[in-house]
Amino acid sequence: MENHMYRGNIGPGSRVKIILKKDQKSGKLTEGYVDRILTNRPVHTRGIKVMLKDGQVGRVSMDLNVIYIMVGSKIKTGDMLYQSDNKKESWEIFQRDYRLGEVELDQLKYGFVDIYEEYSVSSREFSEEFFESEIVQKTLME
């Protein structure tokens, strides 16, 4: 099962992409911050239903915080660069863009992490693969 199917992985304030009911056929995703979790069950195979802070309701398709922590970990270690060819500057720009809600994943250099759904941020495997993840999570989520 994927990360977004577990209620425990989603919380108020999480940055997510959801599928609105009207967009189910097209698959169009809407990005926002979780205000409330509407699914009571601990696991839902179609994604946890949430209400975003702007009032829109849909099922979580992606937990962007997981992606940003993974990417941030790779940027911090210099395995990826973001909008700069300088490791330190890449990390600073990424942190700024994260805080402004303006991260552009197409600005990454050296690839992109696309296996996030198999991980939980708190798992041992995640912290072994993304060994800067704890520091990155604390820095970004402050």
Side-chain angles (χ1 to χ4, degrees), residues 13 15 33 65 68-69 76 91 94-96 98-101 133-142:
R15 189 181 303 178
Y33 293 90
N65 287 332
Y68 293 146
I69 292 167
K76 185 155 177 50
W91 174 235
F94 180 77
Q95 289 178 82
R96 180 203 66 206
Y98 178 84
R99 287 191 179 101
L100 294 173
S133 63
E134 190 173 322
I135 293 167
V136 169
Q137 183 174 13
K138 285 179 185 175
T139 302
L140 294 181
M141 306 301 163
E142 290 178 339

Side-chain angles (χ1 to χ4, degrees), residues 6-50:
Y6 293 92
R7 189 176 193 279
N9 290 339
I10 309 294
S14 292
R15 189 181 303 178
V16 297
K17 286 197 177 192
I18 65 170
I19 298 178
L20 302 172
K21 190 162 190 99
K22 68 177 185 160
D23 296 327
Q24 286 177 342
K25 286 185 180 180
S26 70
K28 178 185 170 209
L29 298 176
T30 300
E31 184 174 336
Y33 293 90
V34 174
D35 184 47
R36 293 183 15 218
I37 298 173
L38 304 177
T39 299
N40 290 324
R41 294 188 295 181
V43 178
H44 196 290
T45 56
R46 287 182 286 138
I48 300 301
K49 187 181 268 189
V50 298

Side-chain angles (χ1 to χ4, degrees), residues 120-137:
S120 167
V121 174
S122 59
S123 74
R124 184 176 50 82
E125 294 86 4
F126 187 88
S127 57
E128 288 173 357
E129 173 72 21
F130 304 96
F131 56 88
E132 291 285 349
S133 63
E134 190 173 322
I135 293 167
V136 169
Q137 183 174 13

